[in-house]
Structure formats: structure tokens, C-alpha cells
Amino acid sequence: MSASNFLLVGLSSEVAVPPDIAEHLALRATSAEVPGPRPDEALALELYGIDLSFGGVVALKDVDLSVRHGEIRAIIGPNGAGKSSLINVISGVYKPDRGHVAINGAAYRPVPTQKLAKLGIARTFQNLALFKGLSVLDNVAAGRAYAGRSNFLSQIIGLPHARREQTDARERARRVIDFLHLTPYLDRLAGTLPYGLQKRVELARALAAEPRILLLDEPMAGMTATEKNELADYVRLARDEYAITVVLIEHDIGVVMGLSDRIAVLDYGRKIADGTPEEIASDQRVIDAYLGVPPENEDGEGI
Amino acid sequence: MSTVTADLSPPLSLPFHAGALAVLAVAYLVVPFIGSSYLFEAILLPFLALSLAGVGLNILTGYAGQVSLGSAAFMAVGAFAAYNFNLRVEALPLIGSIVLAGLSAAAIGIVFGLPSLRLRGFYLAVSTLAAQFFVQWALTKFGWFSNNSASGVIDAPPLSLAGLSFEGPVGRYLFALTVVAVLTFLAYRLVSSQTGRNFIAVRDNETAARIIGVPVLRTKLLAFGVSSFIIGVAGVLWAFAYLRTVEPAGFNLDRSFQILFIVIIGGLASIRGAFFGAALIVVFPLVLSRLGAFLLGDIFDSGVLDMTQRIVIGAFIILFLVLEPDGLVALWDRLKSRITAALRRA
């Protein structure tokens, strides 16, 4: 649809859009370095100046975010702060009005959802998005869909490469299922499992894709404290075992503090703080946002 | 090793194969010798054709989640395409005409499946109605399709396959049975393959499917194509093996609904379901007419029969949607597990 917005290729379209020249010049300066070595070798994911609004409602305003390779990066904030919108922008479900997303050094606007898995990104959803009519094994194996090359005819006939592909997908899925201790539920329909387990199956499906970057949209929502700690352990284990970068959205600031390497805090669609858990814990603006003190908004924007 | 068992795919594969083979054995080795010509002409031939159409629609609606009200149109495309290929292409064996007819139906199906890329559910169902009306209109409007026959009704060519001719009710039954068995087996292979699971993924959660890398657009169009192929071949059987004539009027909206009901009553997303549903839809009117004539005598004429039939089938559909959305197949499975449990206890 708006593939012409592809920032690296569509330089001409960039010129045609004149709103803020200085910004675009700055942007182009960073983009120009992209084809060569990455601007920052340590960055797995970068967001530049993301704006997103729905009609008159501003969901995100000028959000920057950098995620280093191998870190667990949390995004926290009160309800409606724009956390899920941010994940949806990274995964291409929402198209940002402005700004772009760089994945392993290549800039996109918007991120092509269809190619997301090939780019090495997998995600989970805030509201469960499992395939209810498939077994746990098939759900997790579906995470390998992007790797499929065989067409439907060779699958019907059962040609060797189609069979190999299927065996391979199931084998990898089994390993992830084993890793997350879901083996007893292998053949159960995903829709019949309790909520906490479904959340874990979703994590398994994302891991089965063997992504470089894993986006978790409130993986612990609606869980008990024990379940939350359990899942936090799984996330940490997954990061160490599969050497992935994790971007995590969470409502519960307590769990996040112990789990993440760096935390960004959103409030009213703006990033109000970014740093290590210790820095965040002592940040006055974060405390204000969480305790509900109206933020001092000198320029009156964002409300 | 575990990979080897995994290769045999779905967990239910063994009982399905065993049961299907038993049914096939009876259908090939017993039924042809004991059946009356009434059984073949009035029950088994329409049952086979409608079952196959049900299998086709189930791939689209049950597995891929795309509602279609254009099934009869795709049947009509199949029937008329087979007739024309047979008539106009010299030395093309009947099997060739049937395959080409299926491909023609698939092509038309893909064209009318294009709206599914933007529309969902109810809106898509309405847009597939366009196929229904357009195809029927085109077939009546352009005499070329029916070889400029004055009445628009044309005789179907005799059935033959690899030099064997399938004459008479039993012959046509065996022909239809073979086509249905082969296509059903292929359909079963398809739905238990990765592509089949992609269908279900698109049905259950399109956004999640897209994000994990399922090619959603291609998958939807493939579902339309495969489904229409099968329904098109079902149309050939309906016209060539059952009715022995080809006419557009037989493929009206009523037929589309009939096939949809077969799928709903039989069980969505179940290959067996199509056969259960078709059996009910074909046998039920016959039972009803016998029963009505027996109980009420002359009052129960064809007008009353037709009306009663509609009312009762309507009631059936409501009951199934409310009480057993998974259809006859779910009832059957529950019955079976109860019987085996009882046997085990005894």
C-alpha cells in the first residue's frame, strides 16, 4: 500500500514531503550510513521519532527507542500510555505517521508485516492470538511458517522436501515445547487450555521461529504473582538459551525491575524516562506517572 | 523414533484410514451387487456429488474460514466446462475434460475470491453471491456454452475411463465413487498438510497468521482455488453421472444453500462431516415423503412435502447451530466414544 514510504529507497518521496526539513536532513544523514556498517553495531532495533495518532487521539509522540543486541528491554507505563501501540508499530500492524523503525540497521516505514518473521522478529499479543482449532504442537510448529518453501501440491503428494520441511518444523517445535515444559499438552487443542498455559504456548510459537528479536506484549497480564515470576524466568532462560533480544511490555513495574536490563517509560504517548532499573526507580517523573500526579506540561502538548 | 510417528501426521490418522477403508470396501465390493437401481439413481449418486461439493466448500468455509454462497455457480462452471471440453476438444479423454473443468472452476473461484482479500464474514458471503448470479446469467445468456441448444438443456456424454465404459446406474455409481474417493483422499492430505494448517491459522487469527509469516493473501486465494476445483468436479458428477443432463437452472442459489447446510449440519472443518451432512440432506426428504404418505395419505402431496422439507431442514439448522455447532460428526464421535467406553466396562 504505502510501500513507497520505504525510507531508504524512496528518497524522492521523502523530498516531496516537506514538513520539517531539518529533521529530514538529520534523518537522511543517519540513513546514509545504513548500507555500510550499522550506525551502532550493538543496536538490534532502533525507533526514530515515531508519531502515531488515531483520528485526533495521539497514541505516540516523537518516541525514540534503542535496543541493544541480547538485552531484555522493557517498556512500561500506565494504561493507555501507548505501550501496545509501540509494539504494533515495530511489528508493522500500525503504520506510524512519522518516524521509522530500523531493524538490524535497515530502516523501514512502515515495517512490512508479511516479512517480519523473515527479518527475525517474532511477537506475542496482549490478547491471546493462538489458533484455537490447532493442537499445541501445530500452533508452535506454525511459528515456522515463514521458513516453508514447499507448495501445496508437493505437500499433498508428500514429496521428500515437503516431508522434510514438516518434520523439521515439528522437531523444532517439540524442542521449544519441551523447553517451556508444555510437553504434556502437545496434542491438546490450544483453545481448550487454561489462560496461563495459552500465554506460554504463544511464547513457544514465537520462540519456534528462532527470532533475533522477540516482542512480548504484556506476557504476564492477568497472571498470579507466582505465574508472573515463572514466566519471567522463562523469558530470561529463553534469552540465554536462544541468544535473542527481548522487548517486553509490562504493566507490573515490580516484575520488570528484576527482569530487564534497561527500561523505557511511556506516559501519554511520550517517553518520559529511559535507563537502568535503578535509574528508573528513582526518577521523579516515573513516580509521578505511576502515582497519578499530573505531569508538568509546560508546552501543553500530549494531553 | 518420534519423528517417524510425527511424519504420519494427525493424531487421528489411524482410525480415519481404517474406517474410510472399511467404508470404501463396502461401497466397492458389496453395494454394487445388492443395491437396486432406485438406490443408485435417487440416493447414492446425488449423495456422492453433494458430498464432494461439501468437501470442497468445507475446505473454504470450514478450514479457511471464508464464507461462500457461490458453490452452485462453481458446480455449474465445472459441469458446463466439462461438457464443452468434451464437445470441442477432439480426442480428449473424459478424465482430461474433468480435470480441465475443475481447473476452470478454480480459475473462476479465484476471481470471485479476490474480494476476500478485503472483505470478511457476512460481507464476503454477499460478494460471493455475485458469482452465483453472474455465472447463471452468463450460462443462460450465451448459447455457446450449451452448444446453442434450443432449450438450454443438453445431454451429458457417456462416461468412460481408460477404455472402460460406465453405463447404467451401477456403472455411473462406480465412476462417481472413484472420483469422490480420489478427490476426498487428496483433500484429506491437503488439510492435514502445512497448507491446511495455514488455512486454519488464517481462519482463527489473520493478524497473528500474517505476523508469523503465513502468506495470508496467497493462502486465501489457494483456498478459493482448491475449493472451487473440487466443487467444479462435483458439478460434473452432478450433471454427468446423476442427472445425465446439463442445465443452468439446476445450479441455482438453492443448491448453494443446500451445500452450505451440508457443511454446517455435517460439521465445519471436517472432511467426514460433508458425507454425514450430504447423507442427511439426500435421505431426509425421501424418508419424509414416505413417512408423510404413510401417515397422512393423499393430503401429503408434493407441495406439502416441499414445504415440510424446508421447515424441518430450517429447524435442523437452527438446532445444530445452537446445540451442536460442530455438527453430526461431533455427535457421531461422542456416540462412538460412549459405546467404546460401555464396551470396555462390560
Side-chain angles (χ1 to χ4, degrees), chain A residues 93 113-114 117 123 125 129 131-134 138 142 145-146 152 155-158 163 166-167 170-171 174 205, chain B residues 3 6-7 9 186 189-190 193-195 197 200-201 203-205 208-216 222 226:
Chain A
V93 177
T113 312
Q114 296 267 22
R123 69 165 285 182
F125 293 79
F131 309 126
K132 293 193 169 64
L134 289 177
D138 285 339
Y146 77 95
F152 75 103
Q155 290 171 12
I156 291 177
I157 304 165
R163 294 170 76 95
Q166 165 140 338
T167 318
R170 296 214 156 163
E171 202 43 51
R174 267 170 213 275
R205 183 177 69 189
Chain B
T3 46
D7 225 352
S9 48
L186 295 180
R189 294 277 307 171
L190 177 71
S193 73
Q194 181 60 49
T195 305
R197 288 192 291 276
I200 295 177
R203 174 194 76 190
D204 284 352
N205 199 316
R210 180 173 291 126
I211 282 183
I212 63 172
V214 173
V216 172
L222 181 67
V226 170

Side-chain angles (χ1 to χ4, degrees), chain B residues 17-342:
Chain B
H17 284 159
L21 285 178
V23 171
L24 266 186
V26 172
Y28 270 110
L29 302 174
V30 180
V31 176
F33 300 103
I34 59 161
S36 64
S37 111
Y38 176 80
L39 180 73
F40 295 119
E41 298 270 7
I43 298 179
L44 288 176
L45 282 168
F47 162 74
L48 285 171
L50 288 177
S51 298
L52 189 59
V55 169
L57 183 64
N58 222 338
I59 286 179
L60 182 65
T61 303
Y63 286 92
Q66 313 296 309
V67 186
S68 163
L69 291 177
S71 313
F74 304 133
M75 284 177 88
V77 171
F80 276 87
Y83 171 75
N84 280 295
F85 279 121
N86 194 60
L87 178 77
R88 291 168 209 279
V89 183
E90 292 281 324
L92 181 68
L94 184 66
I95 189 77
S97 305
I98 292 179
V99 171
L100 288 172
L103 291 176
S104 312
I108 302 285
I110 289 172
V111 169
F112 283 97
L114 286 173
S116 74
L117 307 182
R118 303 306 290 268
L119 301 176
R120 269 173 222 192
F122 199 61
Y123 296 92
L124 176 63
V126 172
S127 87
T128 56
L129 271 181
Q132 181 61 52
F133 294 124
F134 174 80
V135 167
Q136 244 190 317
W137 169 81
L139 291 178
T140 341
K141 167 86 179 169
F142 302 107
W144 184 85
F145 288 118
S146 45
N147 202 21
N148 297 311
S149 143
S151 60
V153 181
I154 41 188
D155 284 332
L159 301 177
S160 67
L161 196 64
L164 288 169
S165 122
F166 293 83
E167 292 295 325
V170 180
R172 282 183 279 130
Y173 160 75
L174 287 174
F175 181 84
L177 181 64
T178 308
V179 172
V180 171
V182 169
L183 277 183
T184 304
F185 175 69
L186 295 180
Y188 171 74
R189 294 277 307 171
L190 177 71
V191 296
S192 45
S193 73
Q194 181 60 49
T195 305
R197 288 192 291 276
N198 284 355
F199 286 166
I200 295 177
V202 168
R203 174 194 76 190
D204 284 352
N205 199 316
E206 205 180 308
T207 309
R210 180 173 291 126
I211 282 183
I212 63 172
V214 173
V216 172
L217 306 187
R218 203 164 6 119
T219 302
K220 280 184 178 177
L221 290 183
L222 181 67
F224 268 96
V226 170
S227 157
S228 305
F229 181 93
I230 296 174
I231 295 176
V233 174
V236 180
L237 292 184
W238 183 263
F240 284 27
Y242 170 49
L243 291 181
R244 311 287 302 128
T245 60
V246 189
E247 52 178 323
F251 302 110
N252 56 11
L253 188 57
D254 273 3
R255 183 83 52 230
S256 286
F257 273 112
Q258 197 179 34
I259 296 162
L260 187 64
F261 294 160
I262 285 173
V263 172
I264 291 174
I265 291 178
L268 283 164
S270 158
I271 297 281
R272 283 178 302 159
F275 291 87
F276 282 92
L280 187 92
I281 290 277
V282 170
V283 172
F284 166 74
L286 301 172
V287 173
L288 193 70
S289 83
R290 291 283 166 89
L291 198 72
F294 177 71
L295 292 177
L296 301 169
D298 287 344
I299 314 169
F300 205 82
D301 59 12
S302 64
V304 181
L305 172 68
D306 192 50
M307 226 160 26
T308 327
Q309 209 175 302
R310 279 162 194 268
I311 292 169
V312 179
I313 287 195
F316 264 145
I317 286 158
I318 294 171
L319 280 176
F320 268 104
L321 286 178
V322 174
L323 298 176
E324 189 52 271
D326 294 332
L328 283 169
V329 162
L331 282 179
W332 170 259
D333 284 345
R334 210 172 314 138
L335 192 74
K336 217 165 56 176
S337 68
R338 224 173 264 175
I339 290 172
T340 49

Side-chain angles (χ1 to χ4, degrees), chain A residues 28-274:
Chain A
R28 207 185 294 181
T30 52
S31 300
E33 297 171 15
V34 168
R38 287 194 288 267
D40 188 339
E41 279 291 336
L43 290 185
L45 185 69
E46 267 178 295
L47 274 66
Y48 300 106
I50 298 287
D51 277 6
L52 177 75
S53 56
F54 301 103
V57 181
V58 176
L60 294 170
K61 183 87 186 127
D62 200 23
V63 174
D64 295 331
L65 187 76
S66 62
V67 182
R68 296 186 195 127
H69 283 290
E71 74 174 341
I72 297 181
R73 186 75 150 102
I75 302 165
I76 62 170
N79 271 334
K83 307 184 295 290
S84 283
S85 296
L86 199 63
I87 289 275
N88 282 332
V89 166
I90 299 174
S91 57
V93 177
Y94 294 161
K95 323 252 175 277
D97 306 329
R98 208 177 60 81
H100 70 272
V101 179
I103 298 163
N104 286 309
Y108 299 95
R109 195 186 85 167
V111 178
T113 312
Q114 296 267 22
K115 287 196 220 141
L116 198 69
K118 282 210 176 74
L119 291 172
I121 298 190
R123 69 165 285 182
T124 65
F125 293 79
Q126 183 174 357
N127 304 312
L128 290 167
L130 285 176
F131 309 126
K132 293 193 169 64
L134 289 177
S135 70
V136 168
L137 177 62
D138 285 339
N139 261 286
V140 179
R144 305 292 307 166
Y146 77 95
R149 302 253 180 285
S150 61
N151 66 16
F152 75 103
L153 285 174
S154 58
Q155 290 171 12
I156 291 177
I157 304 165
L159 292 184
H161 76 278
R163 294 170 76 95
R164 233 181 357 253
E165 215 172 83
Q166 165 140 338
T167 318
D168 175 68
R170 296 214 156 163
E171 202 43 51
R172 285 168 200 260
R174 267 170 213 275
R175 262 182 301 203
V176 177
I177 286 172
D178 207 38
F179 172 69
L180 291 177
H181 300 291
L182 286 165
T183 313
Y185 314 102
L186 209 64
D187 290 327
R188 288 270 298 274
L189 284 186
T192 63
L193 293 178
Y195 178 81
L197 284 176
Q198 290 199 29
K199 280 272 190 192
R200 220 194 293 167
V201 174
E202 232 195 313
L203 178 63
R205 183 177 69 189
L207 283 176
E210 289 164 20
R212 283 193 296 267
I213 304 168
L214 177 63
L215 312 174
L216 303 174
D217 192 351
E218 301 220 14
M220 299 161 198
M223 287 190 170
T224 63
T226 328
E227 287 174 323
K228 280 184 186 179
N229 286 326
E230 202 179 71
L231 197 86
D233 289 341
Y234 280 128
V235 170
R236 206 178 290 116
L237 262 175
R239 190 261 308 256
D240 299 342
E241 174 86 18
Y242 293 92
I244 47 177
T245 308
V246 179
V247 179
L248 168 88
I249 281 188
E250 190 42 59
H251 199 69
D252 184 335
I253 198 163
V255 185
V256 164
M257 286 294 172
L259 179 63
S260 9
D261 300 313
R262 285 195 300 154
I263 300 175
V265 187
L266 291 182
D267 193 22
Y268 293 107
R270 289 170 170 280
K271 192 169 81 174
I272 58 169
D274 197 344

